[in-house]
Amino acid sequence: MKCKYKRVLLKISGGALSDGVDSIAPSMVEHVVNQLVEIHNSGIEVAVVVGGGNFWRGRDGKAMDRTTADHMGMLATVMNALALQDAIEKKGVQTRVMTALSMPAVAEPFILRRALTHFEKKRMVIFACGTGNPYFTTDSGAALRAAEIKADVLLMAKNIDALYCSDPRKNPNAKKIEKATYLEVIKNNLNLMDLTSVTMCMENNIPIISFGLKEKGALVRAARGEKVGTIIT
Ligand code: UDP
């Protein structure tokens, strides 16, 4: 099948791997991984940036030094990355975790040329530790890596099926948005990602698709360039 995108980068929050009881729930991991493997098997190169919010976010450490709290958050992303790697490799797809903070006993450091070689060798790549810097988020990490690897699209997995003009949980008349510009997202404060990340995508012309991860097959459809969620260009 001819696909619109050759290389996609998926950003999933750590929360997407949790069922509310277990921080990493096998059923949730399976839901994501099955779709990632299907995308990979259809010939699309897949990179993943995973968050760490199911364990820890820097802002949780209110009384702590912010840099320390953010380092803890970045370490949390590594646990999620390893869980995803394990589940993907069990399905027969070679996968490499690359970390922005060096921990060579656990995973490879992020080196762009190496990441590109992994794609050539038909491996999936999971980027952990976001940007490697405190005061950022894994959304920024996703925008940064998407620019570096020249991803054709950034797929933002959310717990809601698309962007809305206001919060549909509070306003039943909230209208679903099919298409938006980066500036509209920023100006109307649409709940997509932090401003640093949207700006980075805008400056590097990376289209973003915001879609609901819970919807069956939505991730696969988004990666194949089918109409799903909201596209931001
Ligand atoms: N973090 C950071 N720099 C980065 C990426 C992440 O300091 O480049 C820290 C930050 O504390 C953040 C935590 O790691 O709260 C987990 O990432 P995030 O909140 O983006 O995870 P998600 O909400 O997507 O699960």
Side-chain angles (χ1 to χ4, degrees), residues 132-175:
N133 297 292
Y135 294 92
F136 285 91
T137 63
T138 47
D139 286 356
S140 319
L144 174 65
R145 294 291 181 249
E148 287 178 289
I149 65 167
K150 299 191 170 47
D152 297 311
V153 67
L154 170 52
L155 306 174
M156 286 295 294
K158 306 289 247 175
N159 52 16
I160 184 160
D161 64 335
L163 293 185
Y164 286 78
C165 56
S166 63
D167 188 344
R169 285 163 300 194
K170 292 182 192 150
N171 173 11
N173 298 320
K175 267 183 66 185

Side-chain angles (χ1 to χ4, degrees), residues 11 13-14 51-53 56-58 70 73-74 130-134 136-138:
K11 159 69 211 301
S13 289
W56 181 264
R57 289 193 181 94
D70 280 342
M74 286 188 266
T131 64
N133 297 292
F136 285 91
T137 63
T138 47

Side-chain angles (χ1 to χ4, degrees), residues 41-96:
N41 288 343
S42 65
I44 300 171
E45 294 171 351
V46 181
V48 180
V49 168
V50 63
N54 49 334
F55 290 112
W56 181 264
R57 289 193 181 94
R59 61 178 180 271
D60 295 339
K62 291 183 183 65
M64 289 177 72
D65 171 65
R66 174 69 191 266
T67 300
T68 305
D70 280 342
H71 281 152
M72 290 167 63
M74 286 188 266
L75 293 177
T77 71
V78 181
M79 291 197 269
N80 290 331
L82 294 177
L84 285 174
Q85 179 189 38
D86 179 81
I88 297 165
E89 292 212 317
K90 285 207 169 86
K91 296 197 182 285
V93 179
Q94 277 197 21
T95 305
R96 294 288 184 268

